[in-house]
Amino acid sequence: MRKILFLLAFMPIMAAAQTPSWYDADFRRINYPSEEYFTGFSVRQIAGDENESTALSKVKDAARVEAVSSVRVHVQNVTEDQTHSKSVETTMGLMEEIYETFDSHTVLTVDVELPGLKTETCRKGNEVAAFAYVKRRDLIRQLDKAVTVNLTKAESQMDMADEMTKQGRKIDARKQIETLDKTFAEIERDQKLLLAVDKDADEESLQLSDTRRLQQRYVRMSSELKHGINIYLNCKADMFGNSYPTLTNTIKGELSEIGCTFVTSAAEADWAVYVTANAREYNAPTIGGHTTYFAYIDATLAIDKVVTNQRIYEDALTEKGGHTHNYTEAARDGYKQIAPKIIELINQYIK
């Protein structure tokens, strides 16, 4: 009995110990001062049909939103209240008042992931509470790291794209850098946050020089890759002594859709493609009073990689076409059959 009474005497103390210190507003104000921390606190009742896990998840999200909002408010205060006396060259290469720039362009949504943000939760009776916090110093360090990581990532992607371009793989190079718009947007967002939360931030710590250099390189590279692969196409198609330009037009139309541009000389091209095709009559069997005409299309295809002066493909192809009208229509059908195969081979080697 004495043991039971002893335990009962300590139960209020144990229950109180389970409630974290941060639950108290005065404790948060004293131990997490706004000069050193960005914080968020949320408390709510558990609804009648709601389980504890769901309630804790909701209150945790609310605390995180409040913490992010406190950073956002601080950014707004800094950009609005600071005197516009500090001038540096922005990432766009223009001399502007940096605080004025951030005042008009900084956007921080409440769903942004704040680097280093920690969240703790607790339950007290039918209440659940959450406390989200990040130390200003830790946030500065994390943001600085994020900028460095993204700059390194951007440079690495452009290095790989340069190598692909040298190999004649312009389409792959263009895909390699297509996400860099998002990467540079993340860099700019983190730089703006750094400027707002770090009173010692300057052009060097924000890495603006490296950012400008990489942005300029990205703009040049995007412009060069805009039209994809430059192809010189020499296509000669014969239809029983007459030229058949439809084959040339079909090949150009399909390759244009993947970003290829056609040039007038092999010297200007990444790839030189040579196609020679001829139609020949085969036979015209009559069955049940109906005659079907057959013709063959004999073609040769050669593909040169101009940058290395290599012939990477050369072979002959043959396709059969048929029609009930005449040999000319049979040959047209043959060209329809052979064109996709020629295009498939070109695609296979130039990508």
Side-chain angles (χ1 to χ4, degrees), residues 200-218:
D200 297 319
D202 57 17
E203 183 169 358
E204 183 178 355
S205 65
L206 292 172
Q207 303 184 74
L208 293 183
S209 178
D210 286 339
T211 306
R212 282 195 299 272
R213 174 179 59 82
L214 291 176
Q215 281 182 325
Q216 290 164 1
R217 180 184 174 190
Y218 170 58

Side-chain angles (χ1 to χ4, degrees), residues 47-226:
D49 58 345
E50 188 177 41
N51 60 48
E52 181 179 339
S53 176
T54 301
L56 286 172
S57 178
K58 289 180 179 179
V59 79
K60 183 177 180 180
D61 288 342
R64 291 175 65 85
V65 166
E66 185 174 314
V68 174
S69 297
S70 72
V71 177
R72 182 181 59 181
V73 169
H74 184 74
V75 170
Q76 291 170 343
N77 289 340
V78 168
T79 56
E80 290 170 6
D81 297 341
Q82 285 280 359
T83 58
H84 294 176
S85 60
K86 187 175 182 179
S87 180
V88 299
E89 190 174 359
T90 69
T91 56
M92 298 306 292
L94 301 174
M95 294 299 293
E96 295 178 21
E97 299 292 336
I98 196 162
Y99 289 118
E100 185 176 1
T101 301
F102 284 91
D103 180 28
S104 59
H105 294 98
T106 297
V107 176
L108 180 62
T109 59
V110 294
D111 61 346
V112 70
E113 284 296 323
L114 209 58
L117 183 67
K118 299 175 183 178
T119 309
E120 297 178 14
T121 60
C122 75
R123 176 172 180 172
K124 186 178 181 181
N126 200 45
E127 275 188 351
V128 288
F131 179 51
Y133 61 96
V134 60
K135 202 165 189 175
R136 183 190 299 268
R137 185 173 59 192
D138 293 340
L139 177 58
I140 291 171
R141 186 172 64 251
Q142 292 289 342
L143 288 171
D144 180 69
K145 180 181 177 181
V147 170
T148 300
V149 167
N150 269 332
L151 286 173
T152 302
K153 174 184 173 183
E155 187 161 31
S156 176
Q157 284 183 248
M158 285 187 279
D159 287 344
M160 292 177 67
D162 272 338
E163 189 60 33
M164 291 173 180
T165 301
K166 290 176 184 177
Q167 297 170 3
R169 297 163 54 201
K170 278 192 174 181
I171 291 178
D172 289 337
R174 190 168 57 191
K175 290 179 180 178
Q176 181 66 32
I177 65 170
E178 65 184 5
T179 61
L180 286 185
D181 276 339
K182 180 181 177 182
T183 301
F184 280 117
E186 291 174 357
I187 291 170
E188 187 174 2
R189 178 202 63 198
D190 290 338
Q191 287 171 330
K192 291 174 179 179
L193 281 173
L194 267 172
L195 181 68
V197 301
D198 184 5
K199 61 182 177 58
D200 297 319
D202 57 17
E203 183 169 358
E204 183 178 355
S205 65
L206 292 172
Q207 303 184 74
L208 293 183
S209 178
D210 286 339
T211 306
R212 282 195 299 272
R213 174 179 59 82
L214 291 176
Q215 281 182 325
Q216 290 164 1
R217 180 184 174 190
Y218 170 58
V219 170
R220 288 195 301 270
M221 185 176 289
S222 296
S223 178
E224 292 169 1
L225 294 174
K226 182 178 180 181

Side-chain angles (χ1 to χ4, degrees), residues 6-17:
F6 180 80
L7 290 172
L8 288 173
F10 277 89
M11 280 184 67
I13 299 174
M14 292 170 63

Side-chain angles (χ1 to χ4, degrees), residues 19-34 37 39 41 120 131 133:
T19 302
S21 301
W22 52 256
Y23 192 88
D24 181 72
D26 288 334
F27 179 88
R28 296 196 303 272
R29 178 177 52 80
I30 295 170
N31 292 277
Y32 296 88
S34 58
Y37 287 87
T39 64
F41 177 76
E120 297 178 14
F131 179 51
Y133 61 96

